[in-house]
Amino acid sequence: MAYDLEEQEQLDELKAWWKTYGKLVSNTVLGLVVAYAAYQGWNIYHGKQSVEASTEYQALQVVDEKDVKAIQSKAAIIMDKYSSTPYAGRAALFAAKANYASNDAKSAKSQLEWAIKHAKETSVSAIASLQLANILAEEKDYQGALKLLEAKHDAGFDGLFSDLKGDVLVALGKKAEAKAAYEHALTKLDAQGKYHVLTQQKLEALG
């Protein structure tokens, strides 16, 4: 097929451009294809991980609550193999509850600390912080409890954090600061909820 002069010039320019930039373009396209394939592969892998973690977590939930050893074992598997999924943090909370109920506060604290650091859901991390702060307060480690309660957390739990902070401050004999904490808690708690009523009663008890 014959080309006219203008078409031939355009072809020559294209050939010259391709000679200069063709390799770069090819490598860029190849890189994008590889990146896309890796992205798709990761999504498939992560989806598979989530399904497996969900199955393991459901199995954990039906374990006899008195079989603490089995709960610890199953929770450890989820926390180790599926740490990138939300179920790992939930498993840590589940195991911590079982350990605390069996008077193993040391193990409970360890699992709660793990959840605070690694949970993928901010709500799970916040719950772990509240539970750990409560244990520390029971052990009279009031400064440790306050440190947790004053750390950054899911804003949806502000009321509960302030309420527990008030309890710790009462234990420390800091009445004025405790009242301020309870008052702040009341602005965050559901006005119709039971926690609002309890916090109001604590505030009134301080006079």
Side-chain angles (χ1 to χ4, degrees), residues 3 9 11 27 31 40 46 55 57 63 65 73 75 87 96 114 119 129 131-132 137-139 144 160 166 174 176 192:
Y3 297 99
E9 289 178 347
L11 283 173
N27 289 340
Q40 289 294 90
H46 194 265
T55 301
Y57 184 68
V63 175
E65 62 182 17
S73 177
Y87 298 101
W114 190 95
S129 291
Q131 293 181 349
L132 181 56
E138 289 179 349
E139 296 176 343
L160 294 176
K174 298 182 178 181
Q192 305 303 316

Side-chain angles (χ1 to χ4, degrees), residues 54-68 70-71 74-75 78 94:
S54 174
T55 301
E56 293 285 351
Y57 184 68
Q58 289 175 23
L60 171 64
Q61 290 182 300
V62 297
V63 175
D64 186 335
E65 62 182 17
K66 295 180 181 178
D67 192 350
V68 179
I71 290 174
K74 287 183 176 295
I78 299 172
F94 194 91

